[in-house]
Amino acid sequence: MKRLICVLSLTLIAISAWADYPSRIFIDEQDRHVQGIAYDNVKNHLFLSFTTSFVIANHEGEIIGSVDKIHGHLGAMTFDKENRKVYASLEEKNDAIGRSISKGLGASFYTESNFYIVEFDVDAIKGRNVPFEKVAKKIKVDEVLKDYQDSVQVDGKWLKHRFGCSGMDGMCVAPEFGKVGGKNYLYVAYGIYSDTLRHDNDYQVILRYQLKDIRKGLAKNPERYFVMTGNTDWGVQNMAYDSENHQILLCVYHGWKSQYPNYDVFSIDMHEKPFKAHLERVPYIKGKQKQMSVKKAWFFKHGSTGICQVEKNLWYIAISARVIDPQTGKKRYSSDNILYRWTGEETPFVEVGQK
């Protein structure tokens, strides 16, 4: 009987927590697909990036603030609760994707590529179409640019992009590896090109910056970690810190190398300290490098276009969809942000209300 009462009590507590959040927050009529989300559980606002726009929505899915026509590829994001700023990745690339974005905005193409951490002052964004320069600042990330621009020699061949670096995307605020409960840092993950023929692109690359520097507009002297996952399609799309279970989740578009399982989600245990070892089949990097192990991995198709913790084991996960207007042929995108419960089991997330 006591056990039954305990189980019923825990169930009621969980249902009470679920009741505080809508089961879905639907955002429609966007020019490009959702890239990342973050959540403010003080004001109950959902933040979203739609490649060239930053959006603030309430629980009803009403857009109450936005920064539109951002020139570049706005990607994954994270909310720093201490200073109430959203940090997001921004790529300004002179490539096919960058030229497509510029063309869509009616802007001139970039002659050079650059990568930035963008800080959004979310409390200053009041209303729609707020000018970028009034509420955001760009912080240049030189480490990513250098690896993106470099060419390296592997097996006698010269290859573009060190580690297969395509830029940067996944981002989260979390403690130091091995020091749960300590001060927070900003973690930034590389984008990695999908290439089944090269062997130096099987690691995820993660940079860790001091938040005190980032808040001053500086991205300097990062710690760098490598995580062996096997090559993935465009690297870490979204990265989220799970403060309840003390882990960082890496959400990817799965890879295509047949020698790997090609999972969609990887977990890094924050209790574990980094270890030093040589990188496998990366001949141009000498000496032992800081690495983190994958604790667990899953096949789970959602999360790569947006994932954020709401509280404890409750998460919003963004499901992207595209609709083509039959008359105009114009593409429009939506983000259906569904409330999930973390299980950590074979299916790591289940929709709230489901078993």
Side-chain angles (χ1 to χ4, degrees), residues 1-216:
M1 179 62 73
K2 288 183 178 179
R3 177 179 174 80
L4 178 59
I5 292 173
C6 180
V7 171
L8 288 172
S9 296
L10 291 174
T11 302
L12 289 172
I13 291 171
I15 291 173
S16 176
W18 301 345
D20 292 336
Y21 307 100
S23 59
R24 64 191 295 233
I25 302 175
F26 184 74
I27 312 296
D28 201 1
E29 290 295 306
Q30 299 298 311
D31 291 334
R32 292 180 180 267
H33 83 78
V34 61
Q35 301 281 349
I37 61 175
Y39 189 79
D40 173 12
N41 54 14
V42 173
K43 292 189 175 182
N44 291 324
H45 289 166
L46 183 68
F47 309 114
L48 309 95
S49 62
F50 287 97
T51 311
T52 57
S53 64
F54 176 79
V55 168
I56 304 175
N58 60 21
H59 275 184
E60 288 69 43
E62 177 189 4
I63 297 176
I64 58 175
S66 70
V67 181
D68 301 311
K69 299 188 181 302
I70 298 171
H71 194 187
H73 181 291
L74 191 69
M77 58 175 61
T78 187
F79 183 47
D80 180 9
K81 297 179 181 179
E82 290 185 7
N83 75 334
R84 295 195 53 78
K85 300 293 192 297
V86 164
Y87 293 104
S89 62
L90 181 67
E91 298 180 330
E92 297 177 352
K93 289 166 68 174
N94 181 21
D95 65 357
I97 294 176
R99 288 189 288 274
S100 173
I101 291 171
S102 297
K103 183 178 179 180
L105 294 173
S108 58
F109 297 160
Y110 288 109
T111 56
E112 297 180 351
S113 296
N114 278 298
F115 304 94
Y116 301 92
I117 297 166
V118 178
E119 181 188 83
F120 287 99
D121 183 355
V122 294
D123 292 330
I125 301 174
K126 301 182 186 300
R128 305 283 289 267
N129 200 22
V130 177
F132 179 89
E133 61 274 8
K134 288 190 175 183
V135 294
K137 64 181 180 183
K138 298 192 298 187
I139 306 164
K140 191 174 180 181
V141 182
D142 291 326
E143 291 76 18
V144 175
L145 179 62
K146 185 176 186 301
D147 286 338
Y148 175 77
Q149 291 178 329
D150 276 0
S151 294
V152 293
Q153 193 170 23
V154 181
D155 298 333
K157 297 180 180 179
W158 282 99
L159 303 173
K160 292 182 178 180
H161 314 297
R162 186 185 297 259
F163 311 119
C165 175
S166 69
M168 55 187 275
D169 210 343
M171 195 170 295
C172 73
V173 172
E176 183 177 352
F177 292 127
K179 292 186 179 180
V180 171
K183 72 174 184 177
N184 284 332
Y185 298 80
L186 182 67
Y187 289 84
V188 177
Y190 278 24
I192 305 287
Y193 284 113
S194 175
D195 188 339
T196 61
L197 300 180
R198 67 189 290 178
H199 309 297
D200 62 329
N201 61 351
D202 289 342
Y203 290 90
Q204 304 300 337
V205 185
I206 299 176
L207 305 178
R208 191 197 77 197
Y209 291 96
Q210 296 272 357
L211 267 174
K212 65 179 181 180
D213 292 331
I214 296 297
R215 290 166 181 168
K216 294 176 183 176

Side-chain angles (χ1 to χ4, degrees), residues 332-345:
R332 302 296 286 174
Y333 296 83
S334 66
S335 177
D336 201 0
N337 306 282
I338 307 296
L339 189 64
Y340 279 81
R341 174 174 56 85
W342 167 260
T343 70
E345 298 173 359

Side-chain angles (χ1 to χ4, degrees), residues 200-247:
D200 62 329
N201 61 351
D202 289 342
Y203 290 90
Q204 304 300 337
V205 185
I206 299 176
L207 305 178
R208 191 197 77 197
Y209 291 96
Q210 296 272 357
L211 267 174
K212 65 179 181 180
D213 292 331
I214 296 297
R215 290 166 181 168
K216 294 176 183 176
L218 302 172
K220 63 178 185 178
N221 303 322
E223 293 288 335
R224 185 168 64 178
Y225 306 94
F226 296 88
V227 185
M228 169 58 80
T229 63
N231 181 236
T232 57
D233 202 354
W234 298 106
V236 178
Q237 290 294 296
N238 272 268
M239 180 164 57
Y241 175 52
D242 178 356
S243 61
E244 178 71 9
N245 301 292
H246 306 297
Q247 61 182 339

